[in-house]
Amino acid sequence: MRDYVIALSGEAGQGLNTIGDMLALSLFRNGYCIFTDKSYHSRIRGGEYIYRIRVSDTPLFSMRQEFDLIVSLSKSTTLSQLKYFDHKTTLIFDSDSEHVTTEDAGFEMNVMNFPFKTIAKEAGEPRAQNVVALGAILALFKVKMEIPSQLIKEVFSGKDEVIKSNLEALERGYNLELSLEIPEIDANEHNYYLVNGTEGTGLGAIAAGCRFLAAYPMTPGTGVMNFLASRAEKYGIVVEQAEDEIAAVNMVIGGSFAGARSLVTTSGGGFALMQEGISLAAMTETPLVMVDAQRPAPATGLPTRTAQEDLLFVVHAGHGEFPKYVVAPRTPKDAFELTEKAFYIADKYQIPAIILLTESLVDSSATVEPPIHKEEFLQRFVVEGGDQYRRFEITENGVSPRAIPGGKAPVRVDSDEHDEEGYITENLEIRKMMVQKRMKKMEGLLGELTAPAKFNLDAPLILIGWGDSWGAIDEFATGRNDVGYVHYTEVFPIDHSIKEELEGKRLVSVEGNFTGQFASLLRSETGLTVEHIGRYDGRPVSANWIEKTLQEEGII
Amino acid sequence: MSFLREVDPAWCPGCGNFPLRMNLASTLEEMGVDKSRLVMVTGIGQAAKMPHYLDLSFFNGLHGRSLPVAFAIKAVNPELTVIAESGDGDMYGEGGNHFIHGIRRNFDVTVLIHDNQIYGLTKGQGSPTTRKGQKTSAQLQGVINEPLNPLSLAIAMDASFVGRTFIGDKEHFNKVVSAAINHKGFSVVDIMQPCVTFNKVNTFKYYKEKLYDVSEADSSYDPTDKANAFKRALEWDDKIPMGILFLNDKPTYHELHPVLKNGVVLAKEETEIDISAELKTFR
């Protein structure tokens, strides 16, 4: 595997996102594999914005921390990134802006200066300095100029003058001819897709037949809401911006009760407000699908950073006891497939299903195989109902026939404990039977789980992971004989069958949190001894971070 | 078609909810509402128990949250008639935010509020509509907060339909509630009723003496005249206005929504979805 990491750095408002997307897409369309991520402050203009692109010949799902090349449009941002420089890092600077010097850095840097602004001005568009940089990098990777030219035409569609000057800026960038050595990375025709976690989740929701979404905006969960809003008319979806999170979750429960596949999206703080709704969905046995895109907490935490801190909170969300299903996708492809499955499981068992994303997953684009859409996941398990219809009929597997209002049978649903017909009751025998009925679903649910990903379980050290840490863990363990891993995406309930395979191994959980939440969960479910290492500085776990931390802890 | 269920409601003897239940059932019957297409959504409280004592589809959810649920039911299946019903604590207290935004959304729902100016289920605390100075189980020296005036609030926000009625006048109840159900848009009906156990001020006699119908008092009353409706809605101490106070003919949520205006039923089950073209845009 050969790879190269490019960082575009500057301030929010300097067009880095647009240019980063164009760079990533151009490299991807030229046949490279791409993984991107973003590091940004919670502000609209200014602050720090780093768009990283990792180029490789096979798909990768995590970032390498050290840059090979950093193109900088702002001195202050470059200074904050010096810790990610190594001896090979080349800094390309706009010579028309304030420079970072070797003195600033305190070490010898490979610096190249180009007058991006002047070149852009000559091309007729002073704001196109980043397009000049785009051209220079793409030329370095021998990307055909037609690819970015086409993107410029799409991005500035309808503005002929802007297109003309940007194409001119692009060409001038191509002609800069950076004298840089980059590794030979194969670019091949491929059948991959370039998708981020937001898009994967949104596409999965559309594929699952989601027709109603309610949400209150909260970073980084908002992306999924915006994604469905942008396709609402095309797919006949109603996206409602609720007055608060409490309204959002109740709307989604109402939508689901009335028969539409419905989704609520949020982040940890919003999820906290929705807990009563989760409990309501459980008591009324209404399917509920939720997205929690995690960010560091407590309270408002770090809005634009990543973490895996909500696991135990989500697993235990809602008051009272009831089954729920929690998934944490590894990749954007996984996000698609698990979102579809979450809708299916929620409908089949009439329970809350929660999709745990992270900021790093929703904001990262990865080169993925085409996601697999399963038509059987569209099954709704809705019945017509007749004269004798009982919404909460006691059944062997705990799942009662679900009818929706507007059909042959009246559908009665109550948040208080109720009898089989749905009428409020204080009969404690019925209460007991209803608890048993609801909990009975756990048995069926356990049978729906797919085994966790496993690698080299013969090794003495087994890393444990969940969610989007998979890319980093897989990259670290691949090629080592002494390390294996088990990685989960279906994080609740937990399949116990893994216990026998793991007995006698040293188990170390790698997580984006301080306390080792998955380690606790696995320990409490299986009795296995699980240690952990955790990253909680708001940045994603990477292969070299895992290596460094395991060494520091004396584990390897 | 009877909407009454043979059951013994768990309300105190003499509770205003009893006649309200009878009035509501007969209004629905007289209107010929299609039972299979009717859904009642309630919050929590004594009033919110109503659907258990009627024969219809219902969603009895959380305290204060009937409106978000009602909105979504109507959004995904416009063929349903949706009634949101609850008490003053539920709709104006815990649910106050949703009440405001429900008016803003103007979705086609009828909102019936049992307004007895007290919390009944939790035994007699002041509600948002309890008058200043009234002594309650939690405000022992008397309520010091200003009462919420739901009608003037709704009129100020240009609500689509604003009315008030009284459980002691079956004919009037029938007139206002059936007009609200027939009205296209967000219809608010504040229903005056006594809580015989916890509110010794706002009694049956109190309402009987003070309530008057705005159209009966003035045959030229124009409910589309906002300024005048607002003025009436502010009356309370000597006389309390009821009837259809305000009408504002405006497009509903469904009529304005880019997807729903085409008559789409989101609740329709899908068995096949082709996402391949959409996926191709990510190549």
Side-chain angles (χ1 to χ4, degrees), chain A residues 148-394:
Chain A
S149 301
Q150 183 57 34
L151 286 173
I152 285 172
K153 285 175 197 157
E154 284 166 23
V155 169
F156 300 111
S157 157
K159 300 173 198 161
D160 290 348
E161 274 306 303
V162 182
I163 291 174
K164 193 168 160 262
S165 52
N166 273 279
L167 288 178
E168 179 67 29
L170 181 76
E171 194 174 342
R172 285 171 188 250
Y174 261 80
N175 293 334
L176 280 178
E177 289 181 15
L178 306 182
S179 53
L180 260 181
E181 285 211 17
I182 61 162
E184 282 287 327
I185 298 171
D186 289 339
N188 297 310
E189 288 262 323
H190 57 61
N191 189 29
Y192 292 129
Y193 292 75
L194 188 64
V195 186
N196 68 30
T198 296
E199 293 157 349
T201 308
L203 289 166
I206 294 171
C210 173
R211 302 294 298 280
F212 181 79
L213 180 146
Y216 188 84
M218 185 171 184
T219 306
T222 318
V224 177
M225 173 195 194
N226 289 350
F227 182 86
L228 286 193
S230 72
R231 283 148 179 88
E233 283 188 72
K234 194 168 168 191
Y235 294 98
I237 301 167
V238 169
V239 173
E240 181 65 7
Q241 184 178 328
E243 54 271 31
D244 55 36
E245 281 87 353
I246 296 170
V249 71
N250 277 278
M251 282 177 180
V252 163
I253 291 168
S256 179
F257 164 74
R261 278 202 165 165
S262 307
L263 177 68
V264 60
T265 62
T266 189
S267 293
F271 192 88
L273 285 168
M274 294 181 184
Q275 288 205 67
E276 195 192 12
I278 299 169
S279 201
L280 172 69
M283 181 52 112
T284 59
E285 304 190 48
T286 308
L288 169 62
V289 184
M290 313 176 78
V291 166
D292 171 13
Q294 301 164 92
R295 68 192 218 184
T300 319
L302 285 169
T304 61
R305 303 294 175 175
T306 200
Q308 291 183 304
E309 292 181 7
D310 292 353
L311 176 71
L312 291 179
F313 172 55
V314 162
V315 161
H316 298 132
H319 56 293
E321 297 176 305
F322 54 89
K324 60 168 87 72
Y325 175 66
V326 184
V327 298
R330 291 182 186 120
T331 65
K333 174 181 187 282
D334 223 22
F336 179 105
E337 291 165 7
L338 283 170
T339 298
E340 260 201 356
K341 187 169 178 181
F343 275 100
Y344 169 78
I345 294 288
D347 270 348
K348 186 169 179 183
Y349 294 95
Q350 303 167 20
I351 56 169
I354 300 150
I355 303 156
L356 260 182
L357 308 174
T358 60
E359 181 277 326
S360 60
L361 179 63
V362 302
D363 278 339
S364 290
S365 290
T367 304
V368 295
E369 304 267 347
I372 298 161
H373 164 56
K374 291 188 178 163
E375 228 132 67
E376 66 260 34
F377 282 171
L378 289 172
Q379 242 182 296
R380 304 295 313 278
F381 307 96
V382 171
V383 302
E384 186 71 37
D387 291 345
Q388 299 303 311
Y389 177 68
R390 284 168 297 155
R391 172 65 189 89
F392 300 102
E393 188 184 325
I394 307 264

Side-chain angles (χ1 to χ4, degrees), chain B residues 31-246:
Chain B
M31 287 180 75
V33 169
D34 179 354
K35 197 189 273 189
S36 71
R37 298 239 165 134
L38 177 67
V39 182
M40 195 161 183
V41 188
T42 49
I44 295 297
Q46 293 294 11
K49 287 179 180 161
M50 181 65 76
H52 287 289
Y53 310 139
L54 295 171
D55 183 22
L56 35 69
S57 286
F58 65 81
F59 189 98
N60 184 190
L62 298 175
H63 192 39
R65 313 303 169 201
S66 59
L67 289 178
V69 175
F71 160 72
I73 293 171
K74 188 71 188 179
V76 307
N77 191 349
E79 290 163 7
L80 297 172
T81 299
V82 182
I83 296 175
E85 182 259 21
S86 246
D88 43 318
D90 186 288
M91 198 66 78
Y92 304 142
E94 188 109 28
N97 195 21
H98 310 309
F99 183 71
I100 290 170
H101 294 279
I103 295 172
R104 287 185 54 231
R105 276 188 189 98
N106 196 34
F107 61 105
D108 186 11
V109 66
T110 304
V111 188
L112 305 178
I113 305 106
H114 301 215
D115 190 354
N116 57 13
Q117 293 106 58
I118 205 78
Y119 278 71
L121 184 66
T122 53
K123 304 195 174 175
Q125 299 82 6
S127 95
T129 51
T130 306
R131 311 313 290 181
K132 235 173 156 175
Q134 189 168 325
K135 290 179 181 174
T136 76
S137 64
Q139 291 80 23
L140 302 176
Q141 308 304 322
V143 170
I144 57 174
N145 296 343
E146 289 294 337
L148 178 92
N149 182 331
L151 302 193
S152 58
L153 172 66
I155 294 166
M157 289 192 65
D158 285 321
S160 186
F161 180 110
V162 182
R164 178 181 276 146
T165 189
F166 172 48
I167 51 117
D169 187 341
K170 187 182 169 191
E171 209 177 304
H172 193 269
F173 182 99
N174 188 315
K175 181 183 85 176
V176 176
V177 172
S178 59
I181 292 172
N182 281 330
H183 182 82
K184 194 165 50 71
F186 196 85
S187 320
V188 178
V189 186
D190 193 47
I191 304 169
M192 298 285 101
Q193 57 144 163
C195 171
V196 294
T197 307
F198 297 112
N199 190 341
K200 305 296 183 198
V201 177
N202 309 106
T203 59
F204 193 86
K205 189 167 164 274
Y206 172 94
Y207 293 126
K208 200 83 184 161
E209 283 170 9
K210 297 200 174 214
L211 285 164
Y212 76 98
D213 184 279
V214 285
S215 308
E216 282 165 26
D218 173 6
S219 60
S220 67
Y221 184 82
D222 176 8
T224 64
D225 179 346
K226 186 177 176 184
N228 188 43
F230 193 75
K231 206 169 134 198
R232 288 292 170 120
L234 292 175
E235 293 175 12
W236 184 272
D237 292 327
D238 298 328
K239 287 281 171 196
I240 302 172
M242 62 174 188
I244 300 168
L245 267 76
F246 185 56

Side-chain angles (χ1 to χ4, degrees), chain A residues 116-132 156 161-169:
Chain A
F116 289 148
K117 254 184 216 154
T118 310
I119 298 170
K121 214 182 223 171
E122 283 164 13
E125 176 59 272
R127 286 172 301 175
Q129 51 172 336
N130 46 16
V131 177
V132 179
F156 300 111
E161 274 306 303
V162 182
I163 291 174
K164 193 168 160 262
S165 52
N166 273 279
L167 288 178
E168 179 67 29

